[in-house]
Amino acid sequence: MTNRLPEWMLRDLSLPRLRRYIRAVHGDAPAAERLYWWNIEASAALLGPLHCLELALRNALHNALARYYGRPDWWMVAPLNERGHKLVNDARRTCGRRLSRITPDDVVAELSFGFWVSLLSHGSGYDRHFWVPVLHSAFPHYRGRRDSLYRELTSLVLLRNRVMHHEPVHHRHLSADHATLYRVLGYLSLELAKESKTMDRFPAVLAGRADVLRGARPPRF
């Protein structure tokens, strides 16, 4: 087997993208190819749990804020910072390009994972305006500090973005990421965390990494 990536792979996937995998395996081209495919396999396996977390988080925070402010479009009266208002306005414009009538649910679905996580930050007094009076109640199974929860969620935003933008995740401590994901999901809903685990194939994918990298089994996604 040649120690060079196939020409079609260099053409179709691009050397700048593949170079990160080549460096990770110290120039071993066959290993770089296997690592690339395993990275896709791992990212695909993480998509389901990340899906559950993102939807559960945004629904929990939205429902808590809608109750607190007494209206489903709570962002119209809540003390969002400048960036928060921009993200809401961007979401509304995006909805307006494809919908004749925009509902609060449309805006909620359009807002990013990063927006929802930012509501738990210390910035612009969000800890006082949001966490203390209302958002702590969105995590019925959490008794820790806001800043600890925010750090966990920020790490998961980075993981989610790498998965969704087809970036490398193989270099991360993926077993720790996976544990954090389920820990935070459990803060929101023990039932959803339990159900998600019954369908989660990521542990098997992670356990099979060494077999894929040495060529003992083909990657699958």
Side-chain angles (χ1 to χ4, degrees):
M1 193 170 190
T2 179
N3 199 39
R4 176 178 169 80
L5 290 172
E7 288 298 329
W8 62 264
M9 198 171 188
L10 295 171
R11 180 192 67 233
D12 296 336
L13 302 176
S14 85
L15 180 59
R17 170 174 289 274
L18 294 168
R19 192 175 283 126
R20 289 172 286 182
Y21 297 87
I22 296 168
R23 285 197 297 265
V25 295
H26 310 291
D28 184 335
E33 182 175 355
R34 292 192 292 266
L35 179 61
Y36 186 85
W37 298 127
W38 183 86
N39 192 85
I40 300 177
E41 183 177 5
S43 295
L46 285 166
L47 190 59
L50 285 168
H51 170 109
C52 292
L53 175 64
E54 185 167 351
L55 265 65
L57 179 73
R58 81 185 188 197
N59 289 330
L61 298 187
H62 168 65
N63 290 337
L65 289 163
R67 285 194 301 269
Y68 184 71
Y69 287 102
R71 53 190 294 174
D73 58 346
W74 53 266
W75 46 83
M76 300 300 293
V77 294
L80 292 171
N81 60 21
E82 183 178 353
R83 174 159 177 75
H85 281 297
K86 180 182 184 304
L87 291 172
V88 169
N89 290 334
D90 288 347
R92 293 175 69 191
R93 278 194 294 271
T94 299
C95 291
R97 286 195 289 268
R98 55 185 173 81
L99 299 169
S100 58
R101 178 177 174 272
I102 304 171
T103 69
D105 283 343
D106 297 324
V107 177
V108 168
E110 191 64 38
L111 287 165
S112 69
F113 190 26
F115 168 83
W116 296 106
V117 171
S118 75
L119 298 180
L120 304 178
S121 73
H122 176 71
S124 299
Y126 279 5
D127 52 343
R128 300 188 307 277
H129 295 313
F130 293 142
W131 177 257
V132 172
V134 58
L135 289 187
H136 68 277
S137 67
F139 301 87
H141 307 292
Y142 182 67
R143 297 294 180 268
R145 293 169 54 93
R146 176 206 56 79
D147 54 351
S148 297
L149 177 60
Y150 177 66
R151 281 194 298 272
E152 289 187 310
L153 278 164
T154 298
S155 176
L156 293 172
V157 169
L158 295 175
L159 174 65
R160 180 262 185 209
N161 288 345
R162 296 195 77 83
V163 167
M164 296 304 293
H165 294 284
H166 319 306
E167 295 292 330
V169 298
H170 62 83
H171 60 290
R172 293 179 61 101
H173 190 344
L174 289 174
S175 61
D177 286 330
H178 189 255
T180 299
L181 198 164
Y182 274 99
R183 187 165 57 250
V184 176
L185 186 56
Y187 298 154
L188 293 158
S189 170
L190 295 174
E191 297 86 354
L192 181 57
K194 181 179 179 181
E195 185 70 13
S196 180
K197 279 187 176 180
T198 67
M199 297 175 279
D200 188 354
R201 63 190 177 88
F202 180 76
V205 170
L206 186 61
R209 172 175 171 153
D211 287 343
V212 171
L213 296 191
R214 70 170 182 265
R217 80 154 175 88
R220 304 178 184 88
F221 56 82

